[in-house]
Amino acid sequence: MGENPDLDPSDGLAVHTRRTAFDAGQGGPESVTCPRCGATTELAGEDYADGADGADYEDAAGAEDRSESDEGAADGVWDRFAAAIEVWHATGAATVACPACAHPVPLADWTWNDDCFAFGHLGFEFWNWPEFTSGFRADIARLLDGHRTAYVWGKF
């Protein structure tokens, strides 16, 4: 990729082909935007002890016991999203009611304003690669034949 070895990909590529919650690897989400009403809900300052900060959502033990009716009993907005992430990972479907318009919105439809999360059944995880150009990202989206794509960037 160039003469500078610090910019050459060094650790490879992982291809995920099952339901996966992709996260940026550190820190919690700052805010999330409802696709229905456009309201942005601040999440900064919420307690991320259970589920954020690079947590592994592969273990969704107990998630099948949660339902949408439990969401209203959560202590904070983040708690509702964390529970929905676990349910989505276990079942492939979860909703979170928008705090502004109260409409139940599928988890994968929310916009994570800081590109903290993406949810899908196919993902590419690049380790120690240079930052991707918008052209490279557009080429990947084109090769996936119109499927929605998301770009989650982070570091440990």
Side-chain angles (χ1 to χ4, degrees):
M1 285 188 75
E3 294 184 25
N4 185 346
D6 291 334
L7 296 179
D8 288 339
S10 61
D11 289 340
L13 164 69
V15 178
H16 300 271
T17 58
R18 63 176 194 223
R19 189 172 31 248
T20 304
F22 298 94
D23 65 82
Q26 66 182 10
E30 293 180 13
S31 62
V32 64
T33 300
C34 175
R36 179 176 168 95
C37 71
T40 297
T41 300
E42 296 298 322
L43 298 174
E46 294 271 341
D47 179 12
Y48 302 115
D50 296 320
D53 216 15
D56 182 5
Y57 294 101
E58 299 295 322
D59 180 15
E64 61 275 1
D65 297 330
R66 293 204 174 118
S67 68
E68 285 184 46
S69 63
D70 293 334
E71 289 179 11
D75 292 333
V77 176
W78 168 247
D79 293 330
R80 290 184 271 164
F81 281 98
I85 290 169
E86 289 181 11
V87 170
W88 180 87
H89 194 271
T91 68
T95 62
V96 177
C98 175
C101 70
H103 185 77
V105 177
L107 180 65
D109 292 352
W110 287 87
T111 301
W112 298 87
N113 296 41
D114 48 359
D115 297 324
C116 192
F117 289 109
F119 304 92
H121 299 269
L122 173 65
F124 304 98
E125 187 174 5
F126 299 87
W127 288 93
N128 294 325
W129 286 53
E131 190 168 340
F132 297 137
T133 65
S134 57
F136 177 82
R137 291 169 44 197
D139 286 345
I140 294 293
R142 184 181 46 75
L143 290 170
L144 293 174
D145 200 23
H147 289 276
R148 184 177 64 156
T149 61
Y151 179 67
V152 176
W153 185 88
K155 62 181 179 177
F156 292 107

